[in-house]
């Protein structure tokens, strides 16, 4: 018995040391495990499909009418996981990585303008043979969703734009990129405060891992932002008034990235639209208020 107790005590100590080592020396493992557990808890499965020779990664879960949700620039399919977990009991939810994001290859030869991402999503949805869909998107994903819906009004049943750019109002520049590499934790905290109204506390080693990840993609993201500003569908302008798809403009009120005037312009120009505000939420409300976002989406789709 003593040997067993001593062995157990030694095993617990060893596990604690391993966990400590992972925390300090392999924080990426912690991030990956946390994301894996979140997707699993949401009932989502990781899948991939070949789209014209390009491997496209996505999450899928649930059953029922198809709801596709697109993440923003510099983000990935994990963005909507917590919201999806509230909806998979009623919908078949699809969360794709946008081209050049997440596990999708950052091929510099591809077209990363809004029109290019729109065409990619069109090919992705065709590859899955989904038919009619509900479509939602945050930030750049919302911009792409609006552009896609304009071209596919026969298959998009309802549209949800979450703090989405796409209309140039007062010459405001939304796609400014990330700028210079993050010099340290203060720069990272400033970036998070711009995207989230109430950023969570992140342990130092994990924060440094995220800083390194961001800096590694900085040049690519900045180039993408430049391509978007000079590319097709950057400003949907008055053309958005041609949209006949019922649309909800869902807006985190504390957004510091996209001016509220853009939300108002969408609501004014889209004939069948409603503007729903989310107090105490910033540019990515699906990440900091996933339950409220899910409730708003479900209420809109089931009106």
């Amino acid at each position: 018995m003593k040997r067993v107790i001593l062995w157990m005590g030694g095993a617990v100590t060893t596990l604690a040391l391993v966990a400590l080592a992972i925390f300090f020396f392999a924080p990426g493992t912690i991030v990956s495990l946390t994301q894996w557990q979140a997707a699993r808890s949401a009932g989502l499965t990781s899948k991939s499909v070949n789209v014209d020779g390009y491997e496209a990664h996505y999450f899928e879960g649930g059953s029922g009418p198809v709801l596709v949700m697109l993440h923003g620039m510099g983000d990935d399919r994990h963005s909507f996981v917590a919201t999806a977990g509230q909806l998979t009991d009623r919908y078949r939810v699809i969360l794709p990585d946008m081209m050049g994001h997440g596990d999708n290859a950052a091929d510099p030869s591809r077209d990363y303008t809004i029109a290019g991402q729109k065409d990619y999503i069109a090919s992705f949805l065709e590859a899955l043979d989904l038919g009619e869909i509900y479509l939602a998107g945050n930030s750049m994903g919302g911009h792409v969703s609006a552009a896609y819906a304009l071209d596919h009004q026969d298959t998009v049943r309802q549209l949800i734009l979450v703090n989405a750019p796409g209309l140039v109002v007062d010459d405001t520049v939304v796609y400014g990129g990330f700028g210079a590499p993050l010099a340290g934790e203060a720069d990272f905290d400033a970036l998070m405060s711009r995207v989230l109204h109430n950023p969570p506390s992140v342990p130092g080693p994990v924060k440094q891992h995220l800083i390194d990840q961001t800096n590694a993609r900085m040049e690519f993201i900045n180039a993408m932002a430049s391509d978007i500003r000079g590319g097709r569908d950057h400003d949907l302008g008055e053309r958005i008034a041609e949209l006949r798809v019922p649309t909800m403009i869902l807006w985190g009120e504390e957004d510091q990235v996209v001016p509220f005037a853009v939300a108002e312009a969408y609501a004014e120009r889209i004939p069948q639209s409603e503007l729903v505000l989310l107090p105490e939420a910033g540019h990515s409300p699906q990440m900091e208020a996933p339950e409220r976002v899910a409730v708003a989406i479900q209420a809109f789709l089931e009106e």
Side-chain angles (χ1 to χ4, degrees):
M1 178 65 72
K2 289 182 180 179
R3 288 183 180 180
V4 173
I5 293 174
L6 288 172
W7 179 84
M8 289 179 64
V12 169
T13 302
T14 300
L15 287 172
L17 289 173
V18 169
L20 198 61
I22 290 174
F23 179 75
F24 283 103
F25 299 108
T29 302
I30 294 176
V31 173
S32 296
L33 287 174
T34 301
Q35 290 179 327
W36 174 82
Q37 181 58 45
R40 183 172 179 270
S41 298
L44 300 171
T45 301
S46 182
K47 298 183 177 182
S48 66
V49 63
N50 186 288
V51 178
D52 301 327
Y54 184 78
E55 187 175 10
H57 298 264
Y58 63 101
F59 282 135
E60 179 177 348
S63 59
V66 178
L67 170 60
V68 179
M69 296 192 282
L70 308 182
H71 65 79
M73 188 175 71
D75 209 339
D76 60 37
R77 56 189 158 141
H78 293 90
S79 174
F80 272 102
V81 162
T83 296
Q86 309 292 316
L87 297 167
T88 48
D89 60 336
R90 293 174 179 266
Y91 302 95
R92 178 187 172 191
V93 181
I94 308 287
L95 309 181
D97 274 336
M98 300 295 284
M99 190 167 52
H101 291 73
D103 290 328
N104 286 354
D107 180 353
S109 68
R110 300 185 74 87
D111 179 3
Y112 293 105
T113 64
I114 294 301
Q117 292 282 10
K118 172 190 69 177
D119 293 342
Y120 162 71
I121 289 299
S123 296
F124 170 80
L125 297 177
E126 184 178 351
L128 293 185
D129 193 23
L130 296 177
E132 290 188 341
I133 62 168
Y134 296 123
L135 182 60
N138 168 242
S139 192
M140 182 193 76
H143 189 169
V144 173
S145 295
Y148 178 87
L150 273 170
D151 290 350
H152 300 84
Q153 302 200 45
D154 55 333
T155 56
V156 178
R157 299 173 63 181
Q158 287 171 257
L159 176 67
I160 300 125
L161 305 179
V162 185
N163 291 78
L167 302 178
V168 177
V169 179
D170 299 328
D171 296 323
T172 301
V173 176
V174 173
Y175 292 100
F178 285 169
L182 304 179
E185 293 190 7
D187 286 353
F188 178 84
D189 292 342
L191 178 61
M192 289 300 97
S193 294
R194 190 163 183 262
V195 176
L196 303 174
H197 174 58
N198 187 24
S201 177
V202 180
V206 174
K207 187 178 291 187
Q208 186 58 53
H209 168 72
L210 297 175
I211 290 171
D212 293 341
Q213 275 195 325
T214 302
N215 285 342
R217 290 178 52 78
M218 190 74 71
E219 183 177 353
F220 176 76
I221 295 298
N222 287 340
M224 181 185 298
S226 178
D227 289 346
I228 289 174
R229 291 195 305 272
R232 295 175 298 142
D233 286 341
H234 171 236
D235 182 9
L236 299 176
E238 296 302 327
R239 189 161 68 94
I240 198 67
E242 300 171 9
L243 186 64
R244 294 296 181 266
V245 175
T247 302
M248 175 172 66
I249 300 103
L250 186 60
W251 212 262
E253 287 189 298
E254 307 299 331
D255 193 347
Q256 298 183 42
V257 178
V258 182
F260 183 64
V262 175
E264 294 178 310
Y266 270 125
E268 291 170 1
R269 298 179 192 180
I270 299 175
Q272 299 180 64
S273 65
E274 61 177 278
L275 177 58
V276 177
L277 303 180
L278 292 172
E280 301 297 314
H283 181 62
S284 299
Q286 77 280 3
M287 300 179 70
E288 57 182 332
E291 294 85 1
R292 286 193 286 152
V293 170
V295 167
I297 288 175
Q298 184 174 325
F300 173 66
L301 297 184
E302 297 181 2
E303 283 180 346

